[in-house]
């Protein structure tokens, strides 16, 4: 039997102490998540009950059972995190569940006015999304595996964007963004943005040295050399093709904005941001003159309250103005869930879910929702900044920025800060494709956050 030296014993004791501290820290994180998750479940259930009392004057248990199943799945995901990702961020899951629950409650409330079933379908998609997020957390043991398939994800993202052009898959509509398979409609662009985020992160890690090379300094900003413009121009052209061919202004802006943000994080050069903003502005101006639907949206934005434009059935401002009137009707504290008239605005459960919530929850309720988004995005960005894994940093920041940009585009559009585009408000708006993609983003961020806390010094080269 060999003797253990004092140094070896002290080293072993320090290792045991570190392990115990890590276990206790993980338990605190998961306990905090559980408390927040219970609060989110209570608020979600309360929102559905208030909707029923306000709109019907009674409680119908059928929809509440579905809400209970969704809550059980969220708790199951919490258990999965305790087992597989014990040090994941404790705020992401509760915030995502609460936003999903509030959005579903408002969609259900609009159903009661229009005699539709979108709220029931939204809850079903939410259950599928939470289940898929749980499977992703369970089987994606290490997010760095995604780095190996950088170009596979890039190709997959492009294929998904092209799918709506396949004749027997095209789902119709004004914008060529839907596919129709076995009776189900799906928007592949929602998954494409995740694939492209993985591709951008992997590509920028591999090419960062050349992109950060010294360039010319103009007015205090360092601009890259002309030969480094290639990747930015390619993504800009892809975005313009999406705007022109698919008639989807929102997705084109989103993909280009995500790449510019990740490029800035990878290089630290403000010049890239200025060039990106310039290209985006040039593309928007060109699209306004070339594409009639983009011109109509700019016209409705600038002249929304013109009487002729308000009553114009093609490209008019009726929807935009009605949404603004709904927000004004809500005032500071809202009419109360189930007691407003959000269904008067066209597409109130999707594009105009923010005015619908603003009418019944008021400005205070909207600010609370925006605060949830702010915390979610800041925690996601913090996940990337906290670690030294370059791929994980870019991926977390890119996905978080994507959600932030979507919220800005949609809130800015319905409040007439910027022209309205065809995107969905994350977690809130009706749409199974968007909800599925956003919960996949939650799963990836949870995985990255767990890896950052476990191995903060791991670096991918």
């Amino acid at each position: 039997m060999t003797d253990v030296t004092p140094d070896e014993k002290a080293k072993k004791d320090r290792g045991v102490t570190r392990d115990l501290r890590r276990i206790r820290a993980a338990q605190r994180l998961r306990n905090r998540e559980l408390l927040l998750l219970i609060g989110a479940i209570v608020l979600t259930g309360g929102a559905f009950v208030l909707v029923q009392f306000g709109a019907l004057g009674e409680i119908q248990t059928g929809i509440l059972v579905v809400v209970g199943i969704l809550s059980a799945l969220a708790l199951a995901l919490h258990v999965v995190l305790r087992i597989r990702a014990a040090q994941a961020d404790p705020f992401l899951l509760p915030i995502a569940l609460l936003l999903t629950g509030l959005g579903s409650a408002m969609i259900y409330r609009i159903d009661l006015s229009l005699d539709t079933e979108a709220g029931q379908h939204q809850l079903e998609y939410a259950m599928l999304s939470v289940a898929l997020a749980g499977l992703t957390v369970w089987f994606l043991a290490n997010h760095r595996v995604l780095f190996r398939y950088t170009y596979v994800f890039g190709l997959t993202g492009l294929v998904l964007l092209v799918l709506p052009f396949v004749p027997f898959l095209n789902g119709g509509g004004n914008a060529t963004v839907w596919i129709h398979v076995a009776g189900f409609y799906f928007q592949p662009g929602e998954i494409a943005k995740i694939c492209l985020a993985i591709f951008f992160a992997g590509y920028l890690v591999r090419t960062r040295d050349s992109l950060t090379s010294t360039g010319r300094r103009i007015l205090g900003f360092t601009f890259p050399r002309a030969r480094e413009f290639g990747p930015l121009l390619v993504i800009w052209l892809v975005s313009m093709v999406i705007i022109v061919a698919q008639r989807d202004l929102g997705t084109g802006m989103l993909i280009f904005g995500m790449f510019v943000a990740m490029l800035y994080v990878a290089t630290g050069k403000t010049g890239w941001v200025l060039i990106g903003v310039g290209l985006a502005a040039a593309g928007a101006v060109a699209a306004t003159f070339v594409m009639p639907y983009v011109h109509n949206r700019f016209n409705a934005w600038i002249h929304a309250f013109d009487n002729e434009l308000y009553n114009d059935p093609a490209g008019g401002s009726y929807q935009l103005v009605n949404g603004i009137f709904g927000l004004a009707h809500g005032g500071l504290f809202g009419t109360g869930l189930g007691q407003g008239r959000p269904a008067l605005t066209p597409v109130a459960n999707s594009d105009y879910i923010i005015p619908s919530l603003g009418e019944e929850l008021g400005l205070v309720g909207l600010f609370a929702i925006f605060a949830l988004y702010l915390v979610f995005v800041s925690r996601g960005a913090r996940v990337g900044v906290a670690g030294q894994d370059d791929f994980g940093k870019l991926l977390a920041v890119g996905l978080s920025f994507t959600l932030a940009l979507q919220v800005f585009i949609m809130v800015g559009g319905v409040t007439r800060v910027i022209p309205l585009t065809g995107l969905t408000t994350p977690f809130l708006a009706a749409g199974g494709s968007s909800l599925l993609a956003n919960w996949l983003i939650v799963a990836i961020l949870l995985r990255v956050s767990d890896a950052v806390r476990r191995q903060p010094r791991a670096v991918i080269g």
Side-chain angles (χ1 to χ4, degrees), residues 301 319-327 345-347 350-356 366 370 407-421 423 425:
W301 170 51
Q319 183 186 36
L320 175 60
V321 172
N322 264 29
I324 294 174
F325 286 161
L327 286 170
T345 303
V347 203
S350 181
D351 291 0
Y352 276 74
I353 192 71
I354 289 294
S356 300
L366 280 185
F370 297 157
V407 174
F408 170 75
I409 289 174
M410 289 310 301
V411 175
V414 299
T415 56
R416 206 173 161 229
V417 174
I418 59 175
L420 184 66
T421 63
L423 286 175
T425 309

Side-chain angles (χ1 to χ4, degrees), residues 51 55 105-116 118 310 318-327 329 335-360:
V51 163
M106 179 50 61
I107 296 167
Y108 170 68
R109 184 265 171 279
I110 296 170
D111 286 342
L112 297 178
S113 297
L114 301 179
D115 195 22
T116 53
Y310 178 80
Y318 175 82
Q319 183 186 36
L320 175 60
V321 172
N322 264 29
I324 294 174
F325 286 161
L327 286 170
H329 184 216
T335 61
L337 284 172
Q339 299 182 25
R341 304 176 69 186
L344 293 178
T345 303
V347 203
N349 61 2
S350 181
D351 291 0
Y352 276 74
I353 192 71
I354 289 294
S356 300
L357 288 164
E359 181 176 351
E360 300 202 340

Side-chain angles (χ1 to χ4, degrees), residues 295-311:
H295 174 76
N296 290 338
R297 290 188 177 184
F298 270 83
N299 200 30
W301 170 51
I302 297 173
H303 307 290
F305 292 95
D306 286 2
N307 190 50
E308 293 183 3
L309 189 61
Y310 178 80
N311 294 303

Side-chain angles (χ1 to χ4, degrees), residues 89-97 375-376 379-380 383 442 445-446 449:
D89 190 276
F91 292 92
L92 298 177
L93 174 57
I95 292 175
L97 180 66
V375 173
F376 186 96
R379 299 297 294 190
V383 165
V442 172
L445 290 177
L446 287 170
S449 65

Side-chain angles (χ1 to χ4, degrees), residues 162-172 176 178-181:
V162 171
L163 279 182
F165 293 103
V166 179
F168 61 88
L169 292 178
N170 182 263
T176 312
W178 295 91
I179 61 174
H180 182 235
V181 180

Side-chain angles (χ1 to χ4, degrees), residues 1-46:
M1 183 174 180
T2 58
D3 295 330
V4 179
T5 64
D7 290 341
E8 291 175 342
K9 185 176 184 302
K11 185 177 181 180
K12 184 177 180 181
D13 291 341
R14 286 195 297 269
V16 172
T17 302
R18 282 196 301 270
D19 291 340
L20 289 174
R21 288 176 179 173
R22 185 178 300 172
I23 292 172
R24 293 193 188 101
Q27 289 176 343
R28 286 196 296 270
L29 289 173
R30 300 279 66 81
N31 291 339
R32 184 182 304 167
E33 179 184 75
L34 180 59
L35 289 175
L36 293 173
L37 196 58
I38 292 173
I41 291 171
V42 171
L43 289 174
T44 297

Side-chain angles (χ1 to χ4, degrees), residues 142-145 147 201 205 208 265 383-397 447-449 451-453 455-461:
N142 191 335
H143 71 276
R144 298 178 185 87
V145 173
F147 181 76
V205 167
R208 181 177 54 186
V265 173
V383 165
V385 175
Q388 298 181 21
D389 169 14
D390 294 336
F391 174 72
K393 176 188 295 186
L394 289 175
L395 183 58
V397 171
R447 258 299 166 206
V448 175
S449 65
V452 165
R453 285 191 173 92
Q455 298 176 340
R457 298 192 178 186
V459 179
I460 280 190

